[in-house]
Amino acid sequence: EAQVTQNPRYLITVTGKKLTVTCSQNMNHEYMSWYRQDPGLGLRQIYYSMNVEVTDKGDVPEGYKVSRKEKRNFPLILESPSPNQTSLYFCASSSEGMNTEAFFGQGTRLTVV
Amino acid sequence: SQQGEEDPQALSIQEGENATMNCSYKTSINNLQWYRQNSGRGLVHLILIRSNEREKHSGRLRVTLDTSKKSSSLLITASRAADTASYFCATGKAAGNKLTFGGGTRVLVKP
């Protein structure tokens, strides 16, 4: 089954404690992206990757890092999480960037206290 | 920044009625997509319409695109309770490689 898998689904952490949210897709997609969703603000892009070892900033990259060492994986790293990073996070992948449909993971609800 | 802005923000209808929601955007686009999100879950792609297309259908969905007005509409015909969800438009630009989402329309279909 074609899917994008994120882990964990729920996470509560404390300010400053580094964390990683994993994302994996099984569709051999070149394009992957991370979004955060906040009430009233819709989805905002954090980072995206056009291919292995190619990443670029989205609209709200501050406080986040990503890496793309393999085609299937695109982890999101919060080196020093802060309460304003409390949000619902989505990973997405597609075969041709913004020219084709994107497949989304089920989301990771992160709370930073 | 939000490229697409949906209108209305919320919509409540009876089962069997049609639901129409609109999306406006600010800059030129390569394509416009509509997604559905059930409460707190991932987004599901509904339909993609390219900038050189004016109308597209998929099952009970009809999407129109007016590039001169920088707007799109999504019509759901004969709505069902299972259509209760939030609907988002997302635009893709010719330059760059990202989808920019609007704030969404929350649709409630009452049985």
Side-chain angles (χ1 to χ4, degrees):
Chain A
E1 179 190 354
Q3 60 184 4
V4 178
T5 303
Q6 292 178 230
N7 279 296
R9 292 287 312 278
Y10 302 91
L11 180 60
I12 301 174
T13 190
V14 296
T15 299
K17 185 176 181 182
K18 181 179 178 180
L19 66 92
T20 299
V21 184
T22 63
C23 173
S24 181
Q25 51 94 3
N26 63 359
M27 295 165 279
N28 202 36
H29 285 167
E30 293 188 345
Y31 181 90
M32 297 185 76
S33 183
W34 276 102
Y35 292 84
R36 61 177 288 174
Q37 184 177 28
D38 302 287
L41 296 176
L43 283 91
R44 294 178 292 169
Q45 190 182 53
I46 303 170
Y47 268 95
Y48 65 94
S49 170
M50 295 297 296
N51 212 328
V52 175
E53 302 292 2
V54 180
T55 64
D56 207 349
K57 296 177 181 179
D59 293 319
V60 288
E62 294 77 21
Y64 304 95
K65 284 177 58 177
V66 293
S67 69
R68 188 89 182 273
K69 293 185 171 62
E70 308 164 281
K71 201 173 193 178
R72 63 182 294 124
N73 296 323
F74 191 45
L76 179 70
I77 303 155
L78 285 73
E79 297 236 329
S80 183
S82 62
N84 64 13
Q85 292 179 298
T86 292
S87 186
L88 180 56
Y89 291 86
F90 290 102
C91 179
S93 75
S94 63
S95 58
E96 293 180 29
M98 54 74 181
N99 290 317
T100 56
E101 70 174 285
F103 292 79
F104 281 79
Q106 288 301 296
T108 296
R109 189 168 292 280
L110 172 66
T111 302
V112 183
V113 297
Chain B
S1 62
Q2 289 180 240
Q3 163 78 314
E5 297 289 343
E6 284 94 336
D7 171 59
Q9 290 189 329
L11 183 59
S12 180
I13 56 174
Q14 293 294 138
E15 206 164 27
E17 292 180 340
N18 295 341
T20 300
M21 59 210 85
N22 304 295
C23 170
S24 61
Y25 56 91
K26 296 171 186 166
T27 62
S28 63
I29 60 171
N30 177 281
N31 66 77
L32 187 143
Q33 303 180 36
W34 286 92
Y35 288 81
R36 183 186 74 229
Q37 182 183 34
N38 292 91
S39 180
R41 300 179 67 89
L43 280 75
V44 174
H45 182 266
L46 295 176
I47 201 163
L48 180 153
I49 186 166
R50 302 198 182 280
S51 58
N52 60 354
E53 298 175 308
R54 292 296 166 258
E55 188 170 313
K56 210 160 181 181
H57 297 255
S58 176
R60 293 184 295 113
L61 306 179
R62 173 179 167 252
V63 168
T64 63
L65 178 64
D66 186 336
T67 53
S68 67
K69 295 181 179 177
K70 292 186 169 59
S71 68
S72 173
S73 67
L74 170 65
L75 167 68
I76 305 173
T77 60
S79 62
R80 305 167 182 167
D83 295 328
T84 293
S86 290
Y87 293 81
F88 294 87
C89 69
T91 53
K93 298 181 185 179
N97 276 287
K98 66 175 186 178
L99 278 178
T100 304
F101 285 82
T105 294
R106 294 189 313 278
V107 175
L108 172 64
V109 181
K110 294 180 282 188

